[in-house]
Amino acid sequence: MSVHTWYCANCKKETGHEVREQAHHDPAIRALTTPPISGNYRDHTECTCTVCGTVDWVDPVDIFHLDVHDFGD
């Protein structure tokens, strides 16, 4: 599992987020919740705020834009 800095709509600031994939081979990295029913979330990734616990489903391409968000493994 990796932790990335991401904007939390609930905290209203950049916070650490645990990132988990829907179909990852490692159960420890697999998503803990199911994606929203409405919308196209087939390729999205679970992103959980480490401060408040808010879960967002985001496009993994957005997470790894190095110019926009910091990340570290």
Side-chain angles (χ1 to χ4, degrees):
M1 174 183 1
S2 58
V3 176
H4 301 258
T5 299
W6 188 258
Y7 180 78
C8 178
N10 190 50
C11 293
K12 306 289 190 233
K13 59 185 175 183
E14 298 274 332
T15 59
H17 282 70
E18 293 178 349
V19 178
R20 293 185 179 91
E21 298 173 29
Q22 288 189 58
H24 198 279
H25 65 276
D26 183 349
I29 299 174
R30 204 169 297 148
L32 299 176
T33 62
T34 56
I37 294 171
S38 61
N40 182 13
Y41 290 92
R42 183 172 52 87
D43 295 326
H44 281 46
T45 297
E46 183 186 75
C47 195
T48 306
C49 179
T50 58
V51 175
C52 69
T54 297
V55 176
D56 285 318
W57 283 86
V58 298
D59 187 331
V61 172
D62 293 339
I63 294 172
F64 296 107
H65 279 293
L66 297 179
D67 295 338
V68 179
H69 299 283
D70 298 328
F71 74 98
D73 290 330

